[in-house]
Amino acid sequence: VTITANAQQEKGIIGSANWLNNWTEFKPAKTEYNETNQILYGKITTNTTLLKKNTYLLQGPVYVTNNAVLTIEAGTVIKGDSETNGALVITKGAQIIANGSETDPIVFTSNKAVKKAGDWAGLIILGDAPINKFGGTSSIAYDLDPVSTIYGGTNPSATSGVLRFLRV
């Protein structure tokens, strides 16, 4: 029996048109970032901007609520605290505007010295668009506030913001 396996090359990964050049980090576990100088916790209820000059720590779940817009400058680093299972939760109606650039991406990472998957709870975006579930809404568990984790609705043009040149 002869078995032949051929792998198809992903378009744009090699050559001069490599769209990964300049911004993708393939060894994030070894990347060192500045020390945390701002702590985010609880709820963000008003329009807020995270600045590149700071390094932020998500302590526990951080909820963007009250239809607030969280804007994150290109190049900003946000660390999730592994001890408190840090997370950023964009609730239904709120927005995240994370508009990084190819040479200055926004980075979400762990606060551990040696980083690995599962160190922190991540980025959760809960929208208001229709979902494929009886009743039209649902909620996520993950030991988060059930009132703040409802998603789904009746607005097919709902937007939760922008994610561009962002690494999680």
Side-chain angles (χ1 to χ4, degrees):
V1 173
T2 302
I3 299 175
T4 304
N6 295 316
Q8 182 178 1
Q9 177 61 48
E10 293 289 329
K11 185 176 181 180
I13 297 263
I14 60 171
S16 61
N18 183 348
W19 54 271
L20 297 175
N21 283 342
N22 299 324
W23 73 276
T24 301
E25 173 60 62
F26 286 103
K27 296 181 183 173
K30 296 184 179 183
T31 301
E32 302 229 359
Y33 298 103
N34 291 336
E35 289 295 316
T36 299
N37 62 358
Q38 298 287 318
I39 295 176
L40 300 172
Y41 60 92
K43 292 184 178 180
I44 296 173
T45 59
T46 60
N47 294 349
T48 302
T49 300
L50 303 186
L51 307 173
K52 175 183 175 177
K53 70 179 183 176
N54 295 321
T55 300
Y56 297 88
L57 179 69
L58 299 168
Q59 200 165 56
V62 177
Y63 300 92
V64 181
T65 65
N66 199 37
N67 297 326
V69 177
L70 177 65
T71 303
I72 305 174
E73 286 186 344
T76 302
V77 175
I78 299 128
K79 298 177 182 179
D81 182 39
S82 68
E83 294 295 317
T84 61
N85 212 18
L88 180 61
V89 182
I90 309 302
T91 64
K92 185 173 165 176
Q95 291 186 350
I96 180 172
I97 306 297
N99 196 6
S101 70
E102 182 177 353
T103 56
D104 209 10
I106 295 165
V107 176
F108 283 85
T109 189
S110 165
N111 69 332
K112 284 193 166 185
V114 177
K115 298 159 182 43
K116 64 178 178 39
D119 280 349
W120 62 291
L123 171 62
I124 301 166
I125 301 174
L126 305 165
D128 193 25
I131 61 171
N132 187 10
K133 187 161 180 122
F134 181 75
T137 63
S138 190
S139 180
I140 59 171
Y142 304 127
D143 293 329
L144 298 171
D145 176 10
V147 174
S148 299
T149 57
I150 295 169
Y151 65 95
T154 58
N155 183 359
S157 61
T159 180
S160 295
V162 174
L163 298 178
R164 191 173 289 124
F165 291 106
L166 179 122
R167 184 169 62 238
V168 180

